[in-house]
Amino acid sequence: MHYTPSGGWIELVCGSMFSGKTEELLRRIRRAEIERKKVQLFKPTIDNRYGLVRVASHDGLGREDAIVVCDAEDILRRLDADTEVVAVDEIQFFDHSIADVCDHLADRGLRIIAAGLDQDFRGEPFGPMPLLLARAERVDKLHAICVSCGASASRTQRLIDGRPARYDDPVILVGGSESYEARCRNCHEVPGKPR
């Protein structure tokens, strides 16, 4: 079912790494552009994997220029007056104020399309994602394929020298397939995680 409310709204695409979140974000941007909507795409400065001003899917097939912002308020400062659709990739890297910025823009009648990891490598809610999940009108949770057993993967496994990262390792480490794998709940490992 396609949700098309009147006025503004928030759409959130979430899931583990390698589940197709950015690919889906880029697909929705392309559709909005075909509808002749003015779209602005933002990404946080911390995500520099595919070049500072590019958003790209892991498979490299989808690429789009983005406006790099240092914080959520920077989106408001860099927003053009005629923008109708605001897209934000890697939204989990922003602080909790991103939820208020998204609410503010949706209240002004804009469509917000955001993509990000719903869980960190520990399997815990990632940054502002719980707030965004609660406030969004539409939520799509995507799954990857577990590299260990082939099941549906909802978790992101961080690897350090080929071994699962420990619970007390830093939460944020920007990387790709060299540092992360998609895993299902049963194959996901976090040594040292409190029970």
Side-chain angles (χ1 to χ4, degrees):
M1 182 170 97
H2 183 67
Y3 181 73
T4 320
S6 59
W9 70 91
I10 301 170
E11 300 172 25
L12 186 60
V13 180
C14 64
S16 68
M17 285 188 70
F18 313 110
S19 63
K21 299 177 307 298
T22 299
E23 184 180 343
E24 177 61 18
L25 175 78
L26 295 174
R27 187 188 72 80
R28 292 182 191 189
I29 288 170
R30 284 190 295 275
R31 288 182 62 91
E33 290 171 341
I34 290 168
E35 295 169 357
R36 294 189 169 89
K37 303 288 186 188
K38 168 72 183 284
V39 179
Q40 280 186 275
L41 171 60
F42 297 92
K43 74 175 213 171
T45 55
I46 193 170
D47 180 22
N48 59 5
R49 292 170 298 174
Y50 303 105
L52 196 56
V53 296
R54 300 287 269 171
V55 167
S57 56
H58 287 289
D59 62 12
L61 298 177
R63 293 181 179 275
E64 189 81 30
D65 288 334
I67 300 166
V68 179
V69 292
C70 57
D71 59 35
E73 292 294 318
D74 206 14
I75 293 172
L76 297 175
R77 289 188 288 272
R78 307 280 302 272
L79 191 67
D80 294 339
D82 59 343
T83 295
E84 299 167 275
V85 178
V86 173
V88 184
D89 196 30
E90 302 295 352
I91 199 163
Q92 77 278 355
F93 289 137
F94 288 94
D95 67 22
H96 287 73
S97 68
I98 191 68
D100 293 332
V101 168
C102 289
D103 263 345
H104 171 74
L105 294 173
D107 289 346
R108 283 181 34 196
L110 280 72
R111 175 184 178 194
I112 312 304
I113 311 168
L117 296 167
D118 56 335
Q119 299 174 53
D120 61 24
F121 81 94
R122 298 170 176 162
E124 297 176 346
F126 205 141
M129 293 303 281
L131 283 173
L132 292 161
L133 286 162
R135 295 181 185 186
E137 279 78 11
R138 176 180 175 182
V139 175
D140 293 295
K141 182 163 181 164
L142 305 181
H143 294 84
I145 298 169
C146 179
V147 298
S148 294
C149 73
S152 181
S154 61
R155 311 271 167 129
T156 300
Q157 179 72 60
R158 180 186 295 163
L159 301 172
I160 299 175
D161 297 324
R163 292 193 197 99
R166 295 194 51 79
Y167 184 83
D168 56 359
D169 285 328
V171 171
I172 296 177
L173 171 70
V174 176
S177 59
E178 76 286 350
S179 304
Y180 294 98
E181 294 179 343
R183 299 269 183 102
C184 68
R185 178 186 292 271
N186 292 331
C187 295
H188 184 248
E189 301 175 64
V190 185
K193 183 174 182 172
R195 297 267 174 214

